[in-house]
Amino acid sequence: MRDTSGTLSAANYRFNNNMNGCFLEEDAEDEKLEDCCDVEAWEILSKSFKEVQSVLDRNRRLIQQVNDNHQSMIPRNLAKNVELIREINANISTVTGLYANLSSNFSSIVQYKAGKRQIDTSKN
């Protein structure tokens, strides 16, 4: 779980869909962008993990179906496995792409935060 000590919780935010993104109900302007970015970053990463988990859950069901078909030794069920295995392979490619996007998003967030800290440090 994320350590929220010293920061505002997501409940303190109200969001709108204009050019400014989100606003804080309280706190200084300097922290607005950083805190807003934290919430948005968390939402982006959380959404990506949910997408990955959904595809992995689908693969788990497909693998179970392949196993059941194989154990049945019924020719028609064994023939179905070819298509099921193709779907599993396609899903693995999908997961790879989702993880690549997640990695890129995470890297961008870390770079932004590191750049923000450097700017903040140079102001002092």
Side-chain angles (χ1 to χ4, degrees):
M1 182 169 223
R2 184 177 150 198
D3 178 20
T4 56
S5 60
T7 63
L8 295 173
S9 69
N12 291 68
Y13 292 94
R14 65 182 162 82
F15 293 92
N16 72 21
N17 293 324
N18 71 14
M19 294 280 288
N20 296 324
C22 68
F23 297 95
L24 291 174
E25 295 289 343
E26 54 190 283
D27 235 334
E29 287 290 319
D30 291 346
E31 295 177 11
K32 183 191 298 186
L33 181 60
E34 186 174 345
D35 289 341
C36 182
C37 181
D38 287 346
V39 171
E40 291 177 36
W42 185 254
E43 288 173 351
I44 289 168
L45 295 175
S46 179
K47 181 182 177 222
S48 295
F49 280 119
K50 287 176 184 176
E51 288 179 56
V52 166
Q53 190 59 53
S54 173
V55 176
L56 292 174
D57 289 342
R58 172 72 178 150
N59 264 11
R60 182 180 300 116
R61 291 188 299 272
L62 290 171
I63 291 167
Q64 185 59 52
Q65 183 65 47
V66 167
N67 287 335
D68 293 346
N69 288 348
H70 183 73
Q71 288 177 353
S72 76
M73 298 304 279
I74 298 171
R76 182 183 51 162
N77 288 349
L78 293 172
K80 286 180 186 178
N81 279 355
V82 173
E83 216 33 60
L84 293 173
I85 291 169
R86 284 187 182 135
E87 185 177 348
I88 291 167
N89 287 336
N91 288 347
I92 290 169
S93 295
T94 299
V95 168
T96 302
L98 289 169
Y99 273 129
N101 289 341
L102 192 139
S103 175
S104 176
N105 288 339
F106 183 74
S107 177
S108 295
I109 291 164
V110 170
Q111 287 175 356
Y112 170 80
K113 297 291 277 182
K116 176 77 171 127
R117 279 192 203 103
Q118 264 186 338
I119 291 169
D120 289 344
T121 304
S122 67
K123 285 181 183 178
N124 295 334

